[in-house]
Amino acid sequence: MNNNLLLEISEKFGTPTYVYSAEKIQDQYQKLYNSFQPLNVKLHYALKALNNSNILKLLKHEGAGLDAVSLEEIHLGLRAGFTPDKIMYTPNCVAFDEIKEAVKLGVFINLDNLTMLEKFGQEYGHSVGCCIRINPHIMAGGNANISVGHIDSKFGISIHQVRHIERIVDNYNMKVIGLHMHTGSDILDADVFLRGADLLYDIASLFPNLEFMDFGSGFKVPYKEGDMHTDMAKIGKKITESFVKFCQSYGRELELWFEPGKYIVSEAGKLLVKTNVVKQTTSTVFVGVNSGQNHLLRPVLYNAYHRIENISNLDGEQKLYSIVGNICESDTLGYDRFLSEVKEGDILSIANAGAYGFSMSNQYNARLRPAEVLIYQNKAHLIRKREELEDIFRNEVQLELFTKEVEIE
Ligand SMILES: *Cc1c(COP(=O)(O)O)cnc(C)c1O
């Protein structure tokens, strides 16, 4: 993103503000899509990463579908113009009522536990197809919070319970149209992916009505300097080869589905914040900014590393700082970082803020959520207004109980 444009945006729309590049989102989508040619691949963007309807429309225009994890996300998708047949619903630990509601809306249903599978069978039998989320117990990456395929994970039905799945499916004559796995967010290596895929291929013959295989996400993007990212061309080629072989043995050409979130939007986003104070303590120099964990939760939640730059003074002398927010928590956004010398009022840009940035933001400390801006063809468009004070108490209910003067005897 062009630095002067970012500075202009910070002037015009204020800070803190999330800024997204439409071109980067389009590029990432196309790069992923093209990695699996000539397969019939469908990319369902995981909108929990970033759900502004303008971003959804942009991705719809590129040809994407959606992966939704709540009814509300399904509604956001429908509202942005997606037809139900482009939406996959992959909930976890929701009530059956919610699943019935989703069936009514006409979206694809992904079931992730045996109880729901059985209820689904009882309710719909063969009349509504479903997808089954399998947990292949592949450990992807090292962070247990974002690896969801391992043995202790709450996600999916264990691959060891396939016999049980089979009995339920047979008993209710269910139509299983897809098998799904999503092993986490840290897969670097085609071989890890393929080990999970092989397990799904192995059980596919139990389900003669399959229309697609959904391999979830796990595409990694670089956060730190020198970070590895998923080599899409290489992984795509290997997965494509293995999938073609699988389809031959299955006897039919299936669709290959993925649900990328981070890969599509992470690098496309920056959070612009303003320096309130430069505070020398006995141990370090803190740069205190007008944002914090309320706007970007990943550093405190996952110990995630987000690159930070002082875009008001790009060529200044490099100095060591800890960048912190203004929330009454130790909300460090970056420890011991070299930044070009920071003065109060300087604008810092925080990278990889497109995914799980705004969507995880909250009103802690009664602070307002940031604005969102989309850069399209070098022009900045406001796509979400900064919150206002009323947004903080909008849903509060005023009781009369405590408003009367209490008479003191
Ligand atoms: C969160 C999630 C994704 C997207 O993960 P990323 O790491 O953002 O690509 C895909 N599928 C499911 C089921 C998810 O819960």
Side-chain angles (χ1 to χ4, degrees):
M1 283 186 218
N2 176 305
N3 232 39
N4 288 332
L5 183 56
L6 289 179
L7 286 171
E8 274 169 37
I9 288 170
S10 73
E11 288 275 313
K12 181 164 177 200
F13 301 103
T15 55
T17 291
Y18 275 99
V19 183
Y20 313 112
S21 154
E23 278 81 7
K24 181 68 181 170
I25 293 173
Q26 290 168 315
D27 283 355
Q28 289 294 103
Y29 179 87
Q30 292 304 336
K31 196 153 63 161
L32 197 56
Y33 185 82
N34 291 327
S35 311
F36 300 103
Q37 290 319 304
L39 288 182
N40 187 356
V41 66
K42 298 223 163 128
L43 303 183
H44 291 123
Y45 166 62
L47 74 150
K48 72 175 190 280
L50 170 60
N51 67 26
N52 188 292
S53 64
N54 298 282
I55 305 286
L56 302 186
K57 286 175 191 164
L58 171 73
L59 280 163
K60 179 172 173 284
H61 193 255
E62 294 300 301
L66 291 180
D67 186 72
V69 294
S70 67
L71 271 182
E72 291 82 349
E73 282 192 355
I74 296 174
H75 284 294
L76 286 181
L78 295 172
R79 191 174 149 267
F82 287 85
T83 49
D85 62 313
K86 296 285 261 179
I87 301 177
M88 170 71 139
Y89 179 45
T90 302
N92 173 257
C93 292
V94 300
F96 191 58
D97 283 348
E98 224 184 281
I99 290 175
K100 284 204 289 199
E101 200 54 44
V103 171
K104 267 194 223 147
L105 292 171
V107 300
F108 286 99
I109 310 287
N110 196 1
L111 297 166
D112 111 317
N113 68 71
L114 289 170
T115 326
M116 289 302 148
L117 185 68
E118 182 146 17
K119 284 191 181 160
F120 200 90
Q122 278 167 1
E123 183 82 21
Y124 303 109
H126 198 74
S127 67
V128 180
C130 67
C131 176
I132 301 180
R133 179 171 186 172
I134 302 287
N135 185 341
H137 305 303
I138 300 288
M139 185 71 180
N143 189 335
N145 292 319
I146 48 177
S147 302
V148 292
H150 55 89
I151 198 88
D152 286 333
S153 164
K154 68 166 186 166
F155 296 98
I157 304 176
S158 169
I159 187 98
H160 304 303
Q161 291 174 306
V162 160
R163 184 66 200 112
H164 200 155
I165 296 175
E166 213 187 340
R167 285 174 57 197
I168 294 173
V169 167
D170 285 348
N171 200 35
Y172 296 102
N173 187 25
M174 295 176 75
K175 191 160 98 188
V176 179
I177 58 172
L179 292 178
H180 169 276
M181 67 165 186
H182 169 66
T183 47
S185 292
D186 256 14
I187 296 178
L188 279 175
D189 179 348
D191 295 330
V192 179
F193 226 119
L194 289 175
R195 249 190 304 155
D198 277 341
L199 292 169
L200 255 60
Y201 298 158
D202 280 347
I203 61 171
S205 58
L206 302 173
F207 307 101
N209 299 310
L210 291 182
E211 292 166 14
F212 61 88
M213 289 284 218
D214 184 340
F215 289 160
S217 181
F219 306 109
K220 196 172 159 71
V221 292
Y223 278 71
K224 253 190 201 127
E225 296 82 356
D227 252 5
M228 299 279 286
H229 62 285
T230 306
D231 182 346
M232 266 332 300
K234 194 167 137 206
I235 287 207
K237 190 160 173 286
K238 280 195 178 182
I239 294 176
T240 303
E241 282 167 9
S242 92
F243 197 73
V244 166
K245 229 187 265 166
F246 158 70
C247 289
Q248 281 163 357
S249 77
Y250 187 74
R252 215 147 30 79
E253 235 175 75
L254 302 188
E255 292 176 0
L256 177 61
W257 291 15
F258 290 100
E259 311 157 349
K262 212 178 259 176
Y263 188 85
I264 306 283
V265 294
S266 174
E267 295 163 283
K270 301 225 158 152
L271 174 60
L272 301 182
V273 300
K274 189 183 258 178
T275 306
N276 286 337
V277 286
V278 178
K279 178 174 181 176
Q280 178 105 42
T281 67
T282 46
S283 59
T284 186
V285 183
F286 285 107
V287 169
V289 300
N290 65 348
S291 181
Q293 68 173 54
N294 51 330
H295 299 156
L296 185 65
L297 189 57
R298 297 187 78 259
V300 297
L301 185 63
Y302 301 132
N303 202 18
Y305 185 103
H306 288 253
R307 275 172 294 121
I308 303 175
E309 260 186 314
N310 179 2
I311 61 170
S312 295
N313 181 24
L314 277 182
D315 303 317
E317 194 187 339
Q318 296 289 297
K319 294 193 165 175
L320 195 60
Y321 299 101
S322 282
I323 299 91
V324 295
N326 59 4
I327 291 302
C328 288
E329 296 282 333
S330 294
D331 59 338
T332 304
L333 296 165
Y335 281 110
D336 282 357
R337 301 292 184 84
F338 281 104
L339 297 185
S340 314
E341 181 167 14
V342 182
K343 288 202 281 304
E344 292 174 1
D346 280 357
I347 303 296
L348 308 188
S349 118
I350 305 178
N352 288 84
Y356 309 105
F358 188 90
S359 68
M360 282 189 167
S361 67
N362 58 71
Q363 295 178 331
Y364 186 48
N365 282 197
R367 292 216 173 258
L368 312 174
R369 270 183 282 235
E372 293 184 293
V373 167
L374 181 66
I375 302 177
Y376 181 64
Q377 295 179 341
N378 252 338
K379 246 191 101 196
H381 305 266
L382 185 67
I383 56 170
R384 191 188 303 267
K385 290 189 286 186
R386 186 177 310 290
E387 281 186 336
E388 295 176 350
L389 191 55
E390 296 105 78
D391 294 314
I392 295 202
F393 49 75
R394 179 182 307 281
N395 294 328
E396 248 186 31
V397 177
Q398 297 300 321
L399 298 180
E400 293 299 323
L401 294 173
F402 312 115
T403 50
K404 293 197 196 93
E405 293 277 329
V406 179
E407 288 195 18
I408 300 168
E409 311 243 322

